[in-house]
């Protein structure tokens, strides 16, 4: 099975970190490649960024279809363009927030999300409401570290773990979800320090795509995720015409 992990922002170094953490959970017979969006924001930290990340994501999915990918991971915690991506393929397409939040509900009664900027907390709450039962998400907390600072700031691990520890206490939760693809490398250390399951969505989504492929199930084209009806797209988006 061939899995393509798409970083919808345009920062190559972040893709490399994402790829390493995805590769760490690939099973036998799985080939994986990670790609960086060729257009859009350097990082995704606002609704504006999220909207402008979608064309690059869709271009990467289209390329994956050409290259024979069997499944996809959308490696950004806002799960940008997830539904649109599903209209382009019959392969499974899993977002990292989606995978992490679902996994969290399987191993605890309530989870807390630790994410980057405070302004992205609303998106995390919206996704939790979409993916999980009422009450499963107990809190969303921001460490106020910009996405691209995660790589180089030596205080990141301490700040994320301390915030997660406070979240467990204040939220009454028993699981932590890391709210950024750039936090993937913190998962093992945070798990060891906190003594609770800490879930990284990059790994969770990569495993879930493999699981779906093992079940031989992919995206249903029967209804809402059927291919988009043909129509002209003009201007900058003319390249998205599907003739
Ligand atoms: O929403 C966030 O803060 C995290 C999200 N942004 C990004 O560029 N990759 C991410 O996973």
């Amino acid at each position: 099975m061939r899995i393509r992990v798409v970083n919808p922002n345009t920062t190559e170094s972040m893709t490399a970190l994402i790829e390493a953490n995805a590769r760490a959970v690939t099973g036998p017979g799985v080939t994986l490649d990670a790609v960086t969006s060729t257009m859009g924001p350097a990082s995704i930290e606002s609704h504006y960024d999220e909207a402008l990340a979608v064309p690059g994501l869709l271009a990467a999915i289209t390329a994956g279809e050409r290259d024979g990918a069997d499944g996809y991971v959308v490696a950004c915690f806002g799960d940008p363009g997830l539904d649109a991506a599903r209209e382009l393929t019959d392969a499974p397409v899993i977002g990292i927030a989606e995978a992490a939040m679902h996994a969290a509900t399987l191993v605890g009664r309530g989870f807390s999300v630790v994410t980057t900027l405070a302004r992205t907390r609303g998106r995390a709450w919206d996704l939790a409401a979409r993916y999980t039962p009422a009450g499963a998400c107990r809190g969303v907390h921001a460490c106020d570290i910009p996405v691209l600072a995660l790589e180089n700031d030596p205080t990141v691990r301490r700040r994320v773990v301390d915030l997660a520890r406070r979240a467990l206490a204040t939220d009454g939760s028993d699981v932590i979800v890391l709210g950024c693809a750039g936090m993937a490398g913190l998962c093992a250390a945070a798990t060891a320090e906190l003594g609770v399951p800490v879930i990284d969505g990059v790994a969770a989504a990569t495993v879930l795509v493999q699981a779906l492929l093992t079940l031989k199930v992919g995206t249903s084209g029967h209804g809402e995720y059927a291919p988009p009806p043909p129509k002209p797209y003009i201007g900058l988006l003319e390249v998205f015409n599907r003739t």
Side-chain angles (χ1 to χ4, degrees):
M1 53 180 83
R2 294 188 60 181
I3 297 176
R4 176 152 294 180
V5 179
V6 182
N7 174 10
N9 75 36
T10 55
T11 299
E12 294 278 359
S13 58
M14 198 162 162
T15 306
L17 178 133
I18 289 166
E19 179 171 7
N21 285 279
R23 203 170 289 289
V25 293
T26 51
V30 178
T31 57
L32 179 139
D33 66 351
V35 298
T36 309
S37 178
T38 58
M39 64 183 95
S43 63
I44 300 163
E45 300 174 311
S46 65
H47 295 295
Y48 185 82
D49 292 345
E50 186 137 356
L52 292 179
V54 174
L57 170 82
L58 298 181
I61 301 291
T62 301
E65 291 298 283
R66 184 190 61 233
D67 300 343
D70 298 307
Y72 300 91
V73 170
V74 178
C76 169
F77 198 75
D79 292 355
L82 182 61
D83 291 317
R86 287 174 173 161
E87 294 179 349
L88 300 180
T89 178
D90 58 7
V93 187
I94 302 297
I96 66 171
E98 177 179 45
M101 291 181 179
H102 281 298
T105 64
L106 302 177
V107 294
R109 288 289 290 171
F111 65 89
S112 297
V113 176
V114 173
T115 191
T116 54
L117 299 184
R119 64 181 299 158
T120 68
R121 285 181 302 172
R123 177 69 175 163
W125 278 114
D126 290 346
L127 293 176
R130 171 177 171 174
Y131 299 140
T132 64
C137 182
R138 302 279 175 82
V140 179
H141 305 262
C143 60
D144 285 326
I145 302 170
V147 170
L148 297 185
L150 290 171
E151 290 177 53
N152 307 311
D153 181 336
T155 69
V156 165
R157 176 173 153 183
R158 182 77 275 129
R159 289 163 67 182
V160 169
V161 171
D162 288 350
L163 181 58
R165 186 175 284 109
R166 291 196 300 276
L168 290 167
T170 56
D171 297 347
S173 52
D174 45 21
V175 180
I176 292 294
V177 166
L178 297 176
C180 179
M183 293 181 180
L186 300 177
C187 193
T191 301
E193 281 201 54
L194 294 166
V196 302
V198 176
I199 300 174
D200 150 47
V202 171
T206 303
V207 169
L208 190 47
V209 168
Q210 292 174 77
L212 293 171
L213 290 171
T214 302
L215 292 172
K216 296 187 175 13
V217 297
T219 299
S220 172
H222 180 68
E224 182 170 331
Y225 293 136
K231 67 191 65 177
Y233 299 85
I234 64 170
L236 288 175
L237 300 183
E238 189 174 358
V239 294
F240 288 94
N241 274 302
R242 295 165 47 83
T243 47

